[in-house]
Amino acid sequence: MTEFLQTLRRQLKLRLITVERNGFGDTAFVPGWTYADYAQEVRAVLDHLAVSRFAALAISGGGPYLAQ
């Protein structure tokens, strides 16, 4: 979905890192996952990539996940 922003991302020197929610896209559904589990997953990805400074964006149903 973010490919249409490629030119703008390059101009602004931004890197987009996306983490799919439980059961969305290619991510398998894990019953019982909570907002806190998702937040921990995002932290693990950022730690793995050594990202210490970032901004976050959520669309529609992703809002409560980002709020966590």
Side-chain angles (χ1 to χ4, degrees), residues 2-61:
T2 58
E3 193 58 30
F4 70 94
L5 293 173
Q6 185 179 58
T7 301
L8 181 60
R9 286 193 329 252
R10 287 183 179 175
Q11 289 173 347
L12 297 175
K13 298 180 181 176
L14 297 175
R15 175 173 64 164
L16 294 181
I17 301 166
T18 62
V19 179
E20 292 178 335
R21 290 176 13 220
N22 184 25
F24 282 76
D26 292 330
T27 304
F29 178 70
V30 178
W33 260 49
T34 66
Y35 294 134
D37 293 320
Y38 179 77
Q40 184 177 3
E41 185 83 356
V42 170
R43 282 188 212 103
V45 169
L46 294 173
D47 288 346
H48 176 77
L49 296 173
V51 174
S52 59
R53 184 174 173 218
F54 63 92
L57 169 74
I59 299 170
S60 189

